[in-house]
Structures are given as structure tokens and as C-alpha cells.
Amino acid sequence: MSTALPRTVSIFGATGSVGTSTLDLIRLDRSNYRVLALTANSNAKQLANLAREFDAEVAVIADTNQYGTLKNLLADTSIEVAAGPDSLIAAAALGADWTMAAIVGCVGLPPTLAALQSGKTVALANKEALVSAGGLMMAQAKQAGATLLPVDSEHNAIFQCLQGGRIDQVRKITLTASGGPFRTWSREQMASVTPEQAVAHPNWDMGAKISVDSATMMNKGLELIEAHHLFPVGLENIDILVHPQSVIHSMVEYKDCSTIAQLGSPDMRIPIASAMAWPERMVTDCAPLNLAKIAKLDFEAPDYERFPALQLARNAIERGGAVPAILNAANEIAVAAFLKGDVQFLAITEIVSRVIDSYSPPEPINLADIFEIDKEARERAIAMIEDARV
Ligand code: NDP
């Protein structure tokens, strides 16, 4: 990666939790970064404010209905305004030195692939894209000579733990999991969970979708699939360990039984800063770790019965082919329906499981296949939700 400064950066999903944390870090070191593209889905006002503040070259809004609003808000600037999915891809193809992929959902896949195609550095938060199209994305990165840096705190931790070793020296990777807000709840208690309860994560402040995923532990399932692509040590060598304090973000055990762990306060700006400055380190204003104050770190085995999403994800990797993309698409629909109050909390993984069992498309070989699988899984999930309502 070019370390020449100022470095050009683009942020996809700039108005979200990861996007704004990334911009917070840039605020600390403005002179070293030049912002090319900032994007959002529909929040034109926030996008316009950010584009102005960071003097972006391009502001792209995915929702074309918001184009006029964004254009008006930036009328007195020289910032180029664009809208729609193709404009997201065009913005990614500008080839920023460093791109943050922080759109939520598989919809972030095309711009992420376009950014990888430019052969530069992509910091990946958008796990759904990797879950749905892992093989394709890793091949694209390799072919283009791009650098893919994981931002998810667990994968960033593993990436850091691997800096002193090689993947072929690894015996086991342990993904830690907070266990989410319902770690100690029975299935009966979880039956009446509200969206407000599900998005209230005990340790992390995140967007609504990933917060619900953490509550069902589908987030850990998606991360298992993510880890399987990023760190090819074999599924049987990737464990999940519940660690409620979210201080150890993941661990790598080498062949000699030395275990290297990465620790830090539960603040996404820490893994983002690591990906942003890599291979250097940057100064942040994050809270340093105070282990004397934390005093105690707890661990427990994950409960696959109360959190069936974990097994669904393991099975999805084992079955391979279209299954991870189906799992992801059905989950996106089920989580959105839960947040709208259309389905109960426990129905989320039930819907995912039923959609996976309902059909077996052939293995995807290109992006069009992935989109077809994604589309059909969404339609099936929506139909199931609608059927359950009548
Ligand atoms: P948020 O919901 O906070 O933000 C999502 C961003 O994506 C917003 O900028 C949103 O724009 C944009 N967006 C939403 N839908 C679309 C669309 N259809 N087209 C284009 N842009 C869209 O999510 P998070 O920041 O929490 O998460 C982003 C990604 O990072 C997810 O994949 C998540 O799993 C992953 N991640 C998040 C972590 C966290 O701490 N939040 C930790 C690790 C990974 P708008 O504001 O206009 O809606």
C-alpha cells in the first residue's frame, strides 16, 4: 500500500456507525488524508454536511429520490453529486488509496468489488458482502493485487495476531463473542424480545442491523464465514468463545501452542485506526485499556441450542455453494422485518433456516449468479413472512 501522504480515502456508508467512526479518526489527522468519495443510502442532510466538512470530491446517495435534495444542499460547492447504485460503483472505481467498505448488507458488494478492482487498499467492515461472495471477492482482491484489511474487530484482531507469524503455522483461531444482550436468557425469555431490547448491545454502539445480529448471534455466524475466507486454516480450526467483556477481540494459537491475543477497549475506532494507518500506527484519542480496573475476564462456551444461528452458519460453510449467500439474504430480510415489528425475535433464525432448506440453486460462479441467489432468497423470506401474517 502506498504510504505517501496525504492519502486519498473514500468512505462507503459514511453516515453509518463505522463510517462516522472512520471520519472521527480523519478529524484527528486532517492534513494526512484527502477525501475523494463519501456515500450514504438516503440521509442526504448528513451526507451533505460531511461532504462539506471534509471537502469531498464526490458525494453519492444510493437512493435516487434523494438526488435533488443532496444537489440543492451542495449547490454552492464544487462537490460533484451523484445518485444510484451505478454511481456508487463509479465512485469506488475512482481508486482511492484507501477505501472503507462500510455499507450495511449485500448491497455493498458491487462498490466493494469495484474498489478491489482498482488494486488499492480496501478496509472491509461490510461482512455481508464477504459472506455472500467470499470466493469471488478474495479472487478479485488477489487478481487485482489489492490489499484487503479486515475491520471487524475480531478479524482485525486476528490480522494483527498474524503479523508475527504465518497462516501455515496456525493451529487454531478463536473468535471471541460478547454473547450479545441475551447471553444469559432462556429461549422462553427471548420469545418476547422487542427491537429496542435487541439493539441495546451491552458493549458496542453499532448500527441496528448488526446489533440485532449480535443479539441472535448470527453476527458471530457471519463472522465465522468471514474468518473462513480471510484466514484459510480450515473450519474445524476456527472456534468461537464467549467472552462477555469484549476486551480480547480474538486469538491465534500457533503450532507450538503459543497463543497471541489482541486486546483493546470495545471501541470500533481502534480496529479502524489499525486498518487506516497500516502498516504504520496512528495516534487516537480512544480509551487505553485499563486491565486493573476491568480486573476479571470471563469466558464460556457458546450455546448452540439457544443460539441456532451459530450452527446455521457452520452448516452454510460446510455445504458451501449458494448456501452462505442464501443465509445472508434471508437474514437481512428477517432482521428488517423484526425491526419493523413484523416478526418475532426467535423467528429470525427460523426464517433463515427455512429459506435455506427450501431450495438448492447451483453453485454461483459469477456476480450475476450471486445476485440471482440473493434475490430469490429475499423473495422467499418475504413470502414466508407474508404467509405467516395471513
Ligand atoms: P449503519 O446502519 O450504522 O450504517 C450503514 C451505512 O450504509 C449508512 O451510511 C447507510 O446510509 C448506508 N446504507 C444503508 N443501506 C444502503 C444501501 N441500500 N445502499 C447504499 N448505502 C446504504 O451500519 P454499521 O456502520 O453499523 O455497519 C456497517 C457495516 O459494518 C455492516 O456490514 C456491519 O456488519 C459492519 N460492522 C459494523 C460494526 C459496528 O460497530 N457498527 C462492527 C463491525 C462490522 P444511510 O445513513 O443513508 O442509511
Side-chain angles (χ1 to χ4, degrees):
M1 175 169 77
S2 157
T3 49
L5 297 171
R7 186 180 289 174
T8 53
V9 301
S10 288
I11 302 172
F12 288 75
T15 50
S17 165
V18 171
T20 51
S21 293
T22 309
L23 289 165
D24 273 348
L25 291 167
I26 295 179
R27 276 189 193 98
L28 296 175
D29 198 10
R30 279 294 295 270
S31 60
N32 281 330
Y33 298 96
R34 190 162 66 78
V35 174
L36 286 189
L38 295 180
T39 84
N41 182 34
S42 57
N43 193 341
K45 191 158 179 236
Q46 193 187 351
L47 179 60
N49 288 341
L50 292 171
R52 235 177 232 282
E53 179 189 348
F54 288 91
D55 197 20
E57 281 187 19
V58 190
V60 184
I61 192 104
D63 179 354
T64 49
N65 293 322
Q66 296 299 319
Y67 174 76
T69 308
L70 184 63
K71 187 91 183 144
N72 286 339
L73 287 166
L74 294 173
D76 61 333
T77 72
S78 57
I79 300 166
E80 189 187 326
V81 173
D86 289 345
S87 300
L88 286 177
I89 296 173
L94 288 175
D97 294 328
W98 189 89
T99 295
M100 167 56 81
I103 288 177
V104 60
C106 189
V107 68
L109 177 58
T112 303
L113 284 175
L116 286 171
Q117 225 154 17
S118 71
K120 304 282 181 57
T121 298
V122 176
L124 184 75
N126 178 206
K127 64 186 85 186
E128 296 89 353
L130 190 62
V131 167
S132 298
L136 204 70
M137 199 187 270
M138 297 307 290
Q140 178 84 277
K142 195 170 172 195
Q143 194 191 352
T147 304
L148 188 60
L149 298 175
V151 167
D152 221 342
S153 59
E154 295 76 2
H155 307 77
N156 183 267
I158 297 163
F159 180 81
Q160 294 197 48
C161 293
L162 283 168
Q163 295 303 296
R166 293 193 317 266
I167 196 84
D168 62 292
Q169 299 169 324
V170 173
R171 208 174 83 88
K172 191 174 85 177
I173 284 175
T174 301
L175 281 175
T176 52
S178 70
F182 311 129
R183 179 176 60 87
T184 59
W185 291 34
S186 66
R187 295 278 291 171
E188 291 69 33
Q189 286 173 302
M190 284 188 239
S192 54
V193 157
T194 64
E196 292 70 31
Q197 288 173 307
V199 298
H201 195 280
N203 304 340
W204 299 94
D205 182 11
M206 310 182 284
K209 194 263 177 182
I210 184 174
S211 298
V212 176
D213 284 344
S214 297
T216 58
M217 290 198 76
M218 181 59 88
N219 184 47
K220 211 48 56 182
L222 299 177
E223 288 178 4
L224 191 67
I225 302 175
E226 205 184 349
H228 170 71
H229 288 296
L230 291 169
F231 311 111
V233 295
L235 180 59
E236 67 286 4
N237 298 318
I238 309 177
D239 280 356
I240 294 171
L241 178 68
V242 175
H243 163 45
Q245 291 92 352
S246 300
V247 167
I248 297 180
H249 297 300
S250 277
M251 299 179 250
V252 171
E253 183 181 321
Y254 287 93
K255 285 198 273 198
D256 57 5
C257 291
S258 271
T259 296
I260 312 284
Q262 187 266 344
L263 287 72
S265 304
D267 180 339
M268 273 308 290
R269 291 177 305 159
I270 298 175
I272 296 170
S274 146
M276 201 151 136
W278 187 86
E280 303 296 325
R281 294 276 179 180
M282 66 185 282
V283 176
T284 72
D285 59 358
C286 300
L289 194 59
N290 185 339
L291 282 176
K293 195 167 163 207
I294 294 164
K296 183 166 159 301
L297 299 178
D298 296 301
F299 305 98
E300 58 196 60
D303 187 334
Y304 280 72
E305 307 243 310
R306 283 185 304 123
F307 297 100
L310 295 172
Q311 194 59 50
L312 285 177
R314 271 200 189 274
N315 294 348
I317 305 171
E318 271 160 10
R319 287 177 58 188
V323 183
I326 298 173
L327 171 133
N328 177 68
N331 183 59
E332 285 192 32
I333 293 296
V335 170
F338 168 70
L339 285 169
K340 274 199 288 171
D342 289 347
V343 301
Q344 303 231 309
F345 181 72
L346 292 179
I348 298 172
T349 39
E350 182 59 32
I351 291 164
V352 175
S353 172
R354 285 178 52 205
V355 174
I356 290 173
D357 290 344
S358 72
Y359 74 127
S360 305
E363 172 149 4
I365 51 169
N366 55 35
L367 197 55
D369 293 346
I370 302 269
F371 285 138
E372 194 48 47
I373 291 161
D374 179 90
K375 183 166 167 273
E376 181 161 3
R378 281 168 200 271
E379 286 165 0
R380 284 172 183 257
I382 290 167
M384 270 175 208
I385 292 165
E386 282 173 357
D387 281 355
R389 263 199 249 140
V390 285

